[in-house]
Structures are given as C-alpha cells and as structure tokens.
C-alpha cells in the first residue's frame, strides 16, 4: 500500500510521521509529476484551504485529483482538507473571489466557524466505528454545517459535525495527526484496504 500526501502547505509532515509509525509507505505530492505515481489513497492535510486551493489550481492538480476521487480513490481530508473537499463553503470573505476547491463531497463546510478566539481547543469524544473516545485537537477549525443523505456522520462535538464519510471520502475537522492515537488513520487505511 502506498499513500500520497498532499504537501503544498500545512501539516503534511505530521501525517507522514503517523503513516510511518503504522508502517505505511507514502510519498509527497508537490507537483503534477508526483501525482502520476501509483497510489492507493490520498491525504489532504490541515493548513490554509485558500492557499492550498490556489496552489492546486496553479499547479494543474485540481482536476486530476478531483477525477481520481470521483473515480473512487480513497481520500482523507483533515481540517483545511475538509474545506477543500466540501461542495459548499461558508465563511469566505465576500469581497474576495471564491477560492478553488475539489468540491467532491456533498457537504457545506463552515470555515473558522468557532471564531478566532475559540479557534483552538482539545476534547475527547466519540467517533463512530472506534471504541471509546478519541483525542480531537481543533485549530481554527471548520465544521460541517450541512450534509446530504449519502454522507455518514461519524462524530459530533457541541452539536456540530466534526467527522464524516461519504463512500471513499473521509474528513475530520480536527487533527488526528497531532495526537498519539492512531485509530483515525487506521480507520482510513481500512477504507483503503477494502476498496
Ligand atoms: N482555518 C483554516 C482554513 O480555513 C483551516 C485550519 C486548519 O486546517 N487547521 O483553511
């Protein structure tokens, strides 16, 4: 198994370290040439979704990645990755042009939805399919405001959806790569294996 990690900006190294602890081979995607390698899944890290979206477009990666996801490639988006995968986004500046996105998941994401002061916090909470609670670190996080029927809600915190799955697409508003618990990554790897 080989996982592509989008490495344009943000917390990609932490995902690579998590995969390496789990004994999984990965490679970084920084340009179109990298993307052409064989892969079984993709991780889109947290960071700044507007920056990542623009870079994806400028590097010619937006369409090929979108097509691969639509073709069934398993993808795991954390935080900014959740925003890049969402079909609709609220919370962008109304005066700026809409930042490019993959928009493959039938969700509406609310960006920076907890406000600047409350943007970073930590909780332990339930995640459907994983026993007990898992640690969840939120950093200026979004949440999913609306999700269509085909989206399975995996976790809610304070009444907001913070983890969800739609077929081959998994997203979390929090950063499992920043905590020691590896079970959300394992959950994703199971999706990759059962493809
Ligand atoms: N606030 C960021 C955005 O809108 C996401 C934050 C994160 O990925 N930690 O892109």
């Amino acid at each position: 198994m080989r996982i592509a990690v989008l490495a344009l900006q943000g917390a990609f190294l932490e995902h690579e370290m998590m995969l390496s602890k789990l004994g999984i081979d990965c490679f970084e995607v920084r340009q179109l040439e990298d993307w052409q390698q064989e892969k079984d899944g993709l991780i889109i890290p947290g960071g700044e979704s507007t920056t990542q979206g623009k870079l994806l477009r400028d590097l010619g990666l937006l369409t090929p990645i979108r097509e691969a996801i639509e073709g069934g490639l398993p993808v795991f988006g954390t935080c900014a990755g959740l925003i890049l995968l969402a079909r609709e986004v609220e919370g962008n500046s109304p005066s700026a042009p809409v930042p490019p996105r993959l928009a493959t998941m039938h969700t509406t994401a609310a960006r920076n939805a907890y406000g600047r002061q409350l943007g970073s916090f930590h909780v332990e909470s339930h995640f459907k399919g994983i026993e007990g609670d898992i640690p969840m670190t939120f950093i200026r996080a979004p949440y999913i405001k609306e999700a269509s029927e085909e989206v399975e809600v995996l976790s809610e915190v304070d009444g907001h959806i913070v983890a969800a799955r739609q077929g081959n697409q998994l997203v979390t508003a929090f950063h499992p790569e920043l905590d020691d618990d590896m079970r959300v990554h394992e959950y994703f790897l199971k999706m990759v294996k059962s493809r």
Side-chain angles (χ1 to χ4, degrees):
M1 184 195 295
R2 200 149 183 255
I3 303 293
V5 179
L6 190 65
L8 303 179
Q9 187 267 344
F12 53 88
L13 257 183
E14 289 80 355
H15 279 288
E16 292 170 22
M17 278 153 60
M18 193 63 116
L19 290 172
S20 125
K21 275 192 218 159
L22 288 162
I24 300 294
D25 189 20
C26 70
F27 66 95
E28 294 183 347
V29 178
R30 293 175 181 270
Q31 51 191 339
L32 190 55
E33 214 170 66
D34 304 325
W35 179 248
Q36 274 137 13
Q37 297 178 53
E38 285 297 315
K39 63 229 159 249
D40 303 296
L42 167 68
I43 291 181
I44 304 176
E48 203 49 58
S49 58
T50 45
T51 308
Q52 290 191 36
K54 281 182 205 151
L55 287 168
L56 282 170
R57 180 197 55 200
D58 295 351
L59 293 163
L61 278 162
L62 202 61
T63 305
I65 292 183
R66 183 184 293 132
E67 285 173 357
I69 296 169
E70 284 170 348
L73 184 77
V75 61
F76 176 22
T78 54
C79 204
L82 176 151
I83 297 168
L84 286 166
L85 290 166
R87 195 163 265 191
E88 305 285 339
V89 173
E90 288 181 6
N92 285 319
S93 156
S95 53
V98 178
R101 280 198 322 283
L102 294 158
T104 48
M105 201 164 172
H106 299 172
T107 52
T108 300
R111 262 191 91 191
N112 298 330
Y114 302 91
R116 274 166 210 278
Q117 298 306 320
L118 293 172
S120 303
F121 59 96
H122 184 88
V123 295
E124 309 258 321
S125 194
H126 183 68
F127 188 106
K128 192 173 170 188
I130 296 178
E131 223 171 284
D133 286 346
I134 58 154
M136 301 182 178
T137 299
F138 294 83
I139 303 170
R140 295 191 64 227
Y143 59 74
I144 295 175
K145 200 172 171 190
E146 280 165 49
S148 72
E149 267 169 23
E150 60 264 63
V151 177
E152 183 186 10
V153 174
L154 298 175
S155 182
E156 286 183 71
V157 170
D158 292 338
H160 298 308
I161 304 170
V162 297
R165 174 175 178 180
Q166 179 187 323
N168 57 318
Q169 306 183 63
L170 173 70
V171 290
T172 62
F174 56 92
H175 289 265
E177 76 284 6
L178 299 183
D179 284 297
D180 289 334
D181 197 311
M182 301 195 278
R183 290 177 295 168
V184 178
H185 283 78
E186 284 170 342
Y187 181 102
F188 174 61
L189 297 173
K190 252 190 236 160
M191 283 170 56
V192 174
K193 274 183 205 140
S194 65
R195 189 192 169 191

